[in-house]
């Protein structure tokens, strides 16, 4: 894995958890708006929207650089629209990056089949 690919995956990982948190907070704010006088939706809506747009941009860049299959790319996109999906995406992306580092080190040491 080259440096640009690793950076693309890292950026996607870094934005996935905050995007998931903002989505959950937006859902809580929406419920509170309808059940109480508290209305934070005008604040949380744009925050979540900006984080979601960043996620989609970083997702597209990571897909382009990693050459994921359509199923893998679709999985990461679907995880972005589920309330807690960003946490699962972050965990899978972390594992993927760690596996790529291990494979890269094995190739450098000349281990066969890595």
């Amino acid at each position: 894995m080259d440096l640009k690919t690793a950076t693309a995956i890292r950026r996607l990982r870094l934005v996935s958890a905050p995007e998931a948190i903002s989505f959950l907070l937006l859902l809580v704010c929406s419920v509170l708006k309808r059940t109480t006088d508290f209305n934070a939706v005008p604040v949380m809506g744009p925050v979540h929207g900006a984080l979601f747009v960043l996620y989609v941009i970083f997702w597209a860049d990571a897909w382009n650089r990693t050459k994921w299959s359509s199923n893998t790319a679709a999985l990461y996109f679907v995880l972005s629209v589920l309330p807690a999906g960003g946490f699962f995406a972050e965990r899978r992306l972390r594992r993927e990056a760690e596996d790529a580092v291990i494979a890269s080190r094995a190739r450098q040491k000349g281990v066969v089949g890595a």
Side-chain angles (χ1 to χ4, degrees):
M1 179 181 298
D2 66 340
L3 184 60
K4 289 183 179 184
T5 304
T7 302
I9 290 175
R10 185 168 189 266
R11 279 192 310 243
L12 184 59
R13 275 187 54 223
L14 288 176
V15 78
S16 62
E19 190 271 337
I21 291 168
S22 71
F23 193 2
L24 292 172
L25 286 174
L26 182 60
L27 291 175
V28 169
C29 290
S30 295
V31 170
L32 290 175
K33 176 183 175 182
R34 292 184 175 31
T35 59
T36 67
D37 291 334
F38 183 74
N39 185 10
V41 173
V43 174
M44 281 310 301
V47 169
H48 171 66
L51 287 170
F52 180 74
V53 168
L54 276 176
Y55 184 95
V56 170
I57 290 169
F58 293 159
W59 166 80
D61 183 42
W63 184 13
N64 182 40
R65 293 187 186 281
T66 59
K67 306 300 185 221
W68 285 327
S69 68
S70 297
N71 290 341
T72 302
L75 171 69
Y76 285 124
F77 186 79
V78 168
L79 287 174
S80 75
V81 297
L82 297 175
F87 299 120
F88 297 109
E90 193 277 332
R91 188 178 319 155
R92 285 182 58 107
L93 288 164
R94 182 171 20 108
R95 245 183 278 145
E96 185 175 326
E98 289 169 354
D99 291 346
V101 167
I102 291 169
S104 174
R105 288 181 182 163
R107 275 192 301 275
Q108 288 176 350
K109 291 183 180 185
V111 176
V112 177

